[in-house]
Amino acid sequence: MSAVRDSLTTPGPASSEDLAARFTREFDGVPAGIWQAPGRVNLIGEHTDYNEGFVLPFAIDRTARVAVAVRSDSTVRLLSTYGDQGMVTTSLDSLQPGLAKGWTKYPLGVMWALRQRGIDVPGIDLLLDSNVPLGAGLSSSHAIECAVVSALNELTGAGLKAEEMVLATQQAENDFVGAPTGIMDQSASLRGSKGHAVFLDCRNQEVSLVPFETEPADLVMLVIDTKVSHSHADGGYASRRASCELGAEVLGVKALRDVQVADLEEASGLLDEVTFRRVRHVVTENDRVLQTVELLAARGPASIGALLDASHVSMRDDFEISCPELDLAVEASRASGAIGARMTGGGFGGAAIALTPARSEQKVRDAVVKAFADAGFTAPEIFTVTPAAGALRIA
């Protein structure tokens, strides 16, 4: 999402009143409403979604907000509250995959995907405000898309269910933006609930809400944004997905979801060494998700630290999607008191999470900052998140 980083920053979000006032100044009209959708942290379950597996993300208390008004023509005007890109004007009839630039490809991709589904999408004026960190692996792009699809679903009277909006935004990502992502991020943003993680079966979109509240357990969830930007539309993500598809084909299964941990010994004799390690990550990560759900129900969030640690090792060594900054964030967090830590998101940069006793929060923060400075890395941004509500209309 480096293109988005160039045109947006992450203060805010503005209040709904301020956003409406800004909309009126910029577009000389009143918005029909304001919708917001959150970013997400994936607690555990990385690169399992497009393998029809299990994931356990939660919506976070950082959101993208869009003020939207319907136009009487086919013109689309888009503006963000930050950056210097200025207003972008285009037409519904000119929407084509691969042509949109910067942050505008996300709302335009949603409009395109809805039109592909036969929905009569009107021209709109749209003002975006977001405080989801960009390029950090917290799904800032999907927050935008989910806010937009929520707005258009209401404004067009399409009546799409959450599951249908998930698939529409996935189509926007896959076919318009060109990022081969699964359905986890949209599902967390659209179906999240305050105080809960979203246990998602990516084969059938079945969702169970799992209680996940850190404060009663005297814990905090720290997010460590390494400032190493990543992009799902580049080759690393796509090559990992291709390896998974190859592994499933060789093993004769519909998806790696159908491979169990007990099958890995046999699989090692059928796959080349690199493909096997990719497969092993997905298979063991699915198992870790199921274990995490069980532990949260039985013993609460303080019990899952070892699974977070194991997830990071698997992503670092088997899936090879970590980077020195992410590894250092995890190592420094654990050494200074976190009970578990892992990179989160698609990888190749972005953020790590550290589940930390509240009494150790400052010690962990200080240790990570010092470790980055000693290594000569860009200073990280560190903040806490809590499980928040999913997408909704706020004005």
Side-chain angles (χ1 to χ4, degrees):
M1 287 192 56
S2 56
V4 184
R5 182 183 288 275
D6 291 340
S7 61
L8 292 175
T9 57
T10 56
S15 69
S16 56
E17 293 81 5
D18 288 345
L19 196 60
R22 174 74 181 271
F23 184 97
T24 298
R25 290 197 304 271
E26 299 288 354
F27 293 106
D28 193 27
V30 177
I34 298 175
W35 290 261
Q36 74 174 28
R40 65 96 188 94
V41 156
N42 191 20
L43 185 60
I44 198 163
E46 223 66 77
H47 288 264
T48 50
D49 58 346
Y50 55 78
N51 289 292
E52 299 188 12
F54 304 104
V55 293
L56 191 63
F58 60 90
I60 61 175
D61 50 344
R62 294 200 171 205
T63 63
R65 296 179 173 180
V66 292
V68 183
V70 174
R71 297 178 57 89
S72 59
D73 56 20
S74 62
T75 299
V76 178
R77 296 192 295 175
L78 306 172
L79 182 67
S80 71
T81 58
Y82 302 106
D84 56 6
Q85 185 170 343
M87 189 177 296
V88 173
T89 301
T90 187
S91 168
L92 289 172
D93 297 328
S94 66
L95 297 182
Q96 293 184 45
L99 295 183
K101 304 298 182 184
W103 71 271
T104 66
K105 58 180 174 277
Y106 302 111
L108 294 176
V110 169
M111 300 180 80
W112 175 85
L114 292 177
R115 282 165 59 90
Q116 294 294 304
R117 291 164 178 266
I119 296 171
D120 186 15
V121 178
I124 60 171
D125 291 333
L126 180 148
L127 177 64
L128 167 70
D129 178 74
S130 179
N131 72 335
V132 184
L134 305 161
L138 301 182
S139 202
S140 53
S141 63
H142 287 98
I144 296 170
E145 290 169 347
C146 290
V148 173
V149 79
S150 298
L152 292 176
N153 187 43
E154 181 175 338
L155 293 172
T156 63
L160 299 178
K161 298 178 181 178
E163 297 92 324
E164 295 170 309
M165 290 192 283
V166 164
L167 295 177
T169 53
Q170 184 190 25
Q171 183 182 13
E173 280 279 325
N174 292 175
D175 299 338
F176 191 88
V177 176
T181 57
I183 63 170
M184 175 182 67
D185 297 346
Q186 306 95 318
S187 297
S189 188
L190 288 164
R191 306 178 74 179
S193 176
K194 185 176 181 180
H196 293 80
V198 178
F199 177 40
L200 171 66
D201 183 334
C202 296
R203 171 159 284 172
N204 58 20
Q205 287 206 65
E206 184 176 314
V207 159
S208 298
L209 296 176
V210 179
F212 180 68
E213 294 187 282
T214 53
E215 187 174 348
D218 293 321
L219 298 170
V220 295
M221 179 61 81
L222 288 174
V223 174
I224 304 161
D225 180 359
T226 66
K227 299 300 182 181
V228 178
S229 188
H230 75 148
S231 173
H232 281 169
D234 63 18
Y237 188 103
S239 70
R240 297 309 186 277
R241 184 161 185 165
S243 289
C244 293
E245 292 168 352
L246 173 62
E249 181 181 355
V250 172
L251 296 175
V253 294
K254 180 174 182 288
L256 293 183
R257 149 73 169 273
D258 301 308
V259 182
Q260 305 301 313
V261 172
D263 300 327
L264 287 174
E265 183 176 355
E266 180 181 356
S268 67
L270 300 173
L271 302 169
D272 67 84
E273 188 265 339
V274 172
T275 304
F276 173 70
R277 287 191 289 109
R278 306 297 189 248
V279 168
R280 182 168 60 185
H281 164 71
V282 173
V283 173
T284 58
E285 186 80 345
N286 269 325
D287 189 59
R288 283 186 287 270
V289 173
L290 298 177
Q291 290 184 59
T292 300
V293 170
E294 291 180 1
L295 282 173
L296 285 174
R299 297 167 52 192
S303 65
I304 66 171
L307 290 167
L308 302 183
D309 293 342
S311 176
H312 184 78
V313 170
S314 182
M315 290 185 287
R316 182 191 67 199
D317 297 344
D318 276 355
F319 224 59
E320 296 182 286
I321 55 173
S322 190
C323 66
E325 291 86 350
L326 286 168
D327 292 340
L328 184 59
V330 168
E331 292 161 8
S333 298
R334 289 291 283 114
S336 54
I339 66 171
R342 64 184 288 272
M343 59 151 283
T344 187
F348 310 103
I353 56 173
L355 188 60
T356 302
R359 65 181 181 278
S360 302
E361 177 184 350
Q362 194 58 51
K363 182 180 178 183
V364 171
R365 287 175 176 265
D366 292 344
V368 172
V369 170
K370 183 178 186 302
F372 271 56
D374 291 347
F377 295 155
T378 299
E381 181 184 0
I382 305 174
F383 51 92
T384 61
V385 293
T386 57
L392 73 161
R393 180 174 181 158
I394 61 172

